[in-house]
């Protein structure tokens, strides 16, 4: 098993607690929130100063290094993070807030989520395949099922920055599931400046503004609609090719 500390993690091996051997791992990734630590099939995940860290048989990997900078991660206040493992995803909730994050280990995507209540703790029951949350609702403690339906969670997702030859993207296509009044807001960022923002609620492409060229492009999606694909192209015709 893995023990995280305020400096380097330790790897303990052995068949009996009284005879385990401890090995200090050769990297400094302090655990900043003991509640963030969860056990998964691939290793142990916890919050460090640099991001979400996985420690396993293959060594150490900062899972969020290609998604968030250290400064962006610190702005989330990871010392408040409480984590759990569900459906091959790391779910984290920030204590005393309604904010959270969800890291999909299959796709590698990280989204911000907004919960209706303030989650305090979480428990996964493998027999029922259900995730239960202890939440604070108006001064009352309640047990809420993650799978119980109700109001859709609001998420925010930002892509990595894509570097291209200097040009202009003139069209975007956000393919999602917009039934039941769900929608998503698409923002297009070019060379660090927001150039476009629009609410999307259909699977129809949209035109992006022209009159400028850029080399660095990324997109931000926020809303309730599940999104399957987001694409940028120079023309609407290129989106269908």
């Amino acid at each position: 098993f893995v023990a995280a500390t305020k400096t380097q993690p330790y790897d303990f091996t052995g068949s009996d607690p009284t005879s385990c051997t401890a090995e200090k791992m050769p990297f400094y990734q302090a655990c900043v929130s003991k509640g963030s630590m969860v056990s998964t099939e691939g290793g142990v995940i916890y919050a460090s100063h640099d991001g979400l860290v996985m420690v396993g048989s293959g060594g150490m990997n900062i899972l969020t290094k290609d998604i968030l900078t250290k400064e962006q991660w610190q702005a989330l206040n990871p010392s408040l993070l409480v984590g759990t493992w569900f459906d091959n995803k790391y779910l984290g909730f920030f204590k005393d807030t309604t904010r959270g994050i969800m890291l999909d280990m299959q796709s590698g995507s990280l989204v911000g989520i907004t919960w209706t209540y303030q989650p305090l703790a979480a428990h996964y029951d493998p027999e029922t395949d259900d995730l239960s949350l202890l939440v604070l609702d108006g001064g009352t403690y309640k047990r809420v099922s993650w799978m119980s339906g109700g109001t859709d969670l609001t998420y925010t997702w930002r892509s990595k920055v894509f570097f291209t030859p200097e040009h202009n993207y003139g069209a975007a296509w956000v393919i999602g599931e917009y039934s039941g009044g769900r929608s998503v807001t698409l923002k297009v960022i070019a060379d660090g400046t927001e150039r476009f923002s629009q609410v999307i609620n259909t699977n129809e492409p949209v035109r992006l503004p022209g009159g400028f060229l850029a080399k660095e492009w990324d997109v931000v999606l926020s809303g309730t609609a599940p999104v399957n694909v987001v694409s940028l192209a120079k023309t609407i015709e290129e989106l269908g090719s």
Side-chain angles (χ1 to χ4, degrees):
F1 63 92
V2 173
T5 71
K6 294 181 179 180
T7 55
Q8 295 168 264
Y10 285 77
D11 183 23
F12 287 82
T13 58
S15 57
D16 187 276
T18 61
S19 60
C20 284
T21 59
E23 180 183 357
K24 184 185 293 186
M25 296 185 169
F27 48 83
Y28 286 87
Q29 286 296 334
C31 179
V32 299
S33 171
K34 62 182 180 181
S36 69
M37 179 174 279
V38 301
S39 177
T40 76
E41 295 88 343
V44 171
I45 299 176
Y46 63 87
S48 76
H49 291 293
D50 297 323
L52 276 180
V53 171
M54 172 176 276
V55 178
S57 58
M60 183 275 296
N61 182 28
I62 302 175
L63 301 173
T64 53
K65 66 179 182 298
D66 295 327
I67 306 171
L68 298 173
T69 65
K70 181 176 180 179
E71 291 72 24
Q72 291 171 327
W73 173 252
Q74 288 292 324
L76 295 177
N77 204 353
S79 63
L80 299 179
L81 190 63
V82 176
T84 189
W85 183 252
F86 177 67
D87 197 22
N88 204 35
K89 298 177 180 64
Y90 180 94
L91 294 174
F93 305 98
F94 297 94
K95 289 186 294 186
D96 301 322
T97 77
T98 57
R99 296 183 297 110
I101 57 173
M102 181 170 64
L103 176 65
D104 189 325
M105 296 297 291
Q106 183 173 354
S107 67
S109 63
L110 178 74
V111 299
I113 57 177
T114 302
W115 188 249
T116 307
Y117 313 102
Q118 292 183 15
L120 304 175
H123 173 71
Y124 172 65
D125 185 349
E127 293 186 2
T128 61
D129 193 31
D130 187 36
L131 178 66
S132 297
L133 302 173
L134 175 65
V135 302
L136 183 61
D137 179 20
T140 303
Y141 294 97
K142 295 181 179 181
R143 175 184 173 276
V144 178
S145 171
W146 176 265
M147 304 297 290
S148 62
T151 304
D152 290 329
L153 294 177
T154 300
Y155 66 85
T156 300
W157 173 83
R158 185 165 188 163
S159 73
K160 68 178 183 180
V161 177
F162 293 89
F163 298 90
T164 68
E166 192 173 61
H167 68 272
N168 176 263
Y169 282 120
W173 197 5
V174 183
I175 301 175
E177 301 171 24
Y178 301 110
S179 61
R182 297 185 180 98
S183 64
V184 62
T185 298
L186 168 67
K187 295 183 179 180
V188 178
I189 315 297
D191 286 345
T193 300
E194 182 181 313
R195 294 286 190 170
F196 177 84
S197 179
Q198 182 173 315
V199 176
I200 308 294
N201 54 23
T202 69
N203 282 315
E204 296 294 327
V206 295
R207 296 189 181 278
L208 302 179
F212 69 93
L213 302 175
K215 295 182 179 179
E216 300 178 11
W217 297 82
D218 58 305
V219 299
V220 178
L221 299 174
S222 59
T224 56
V227 172
N228 302 316
V229 178
V230 56
S231 302
L232 301 182
K234 293 181 181 179
T235 66
I236 288 182
E237 288 73 22
E238 285 185 4
L239 289 172
S241 61

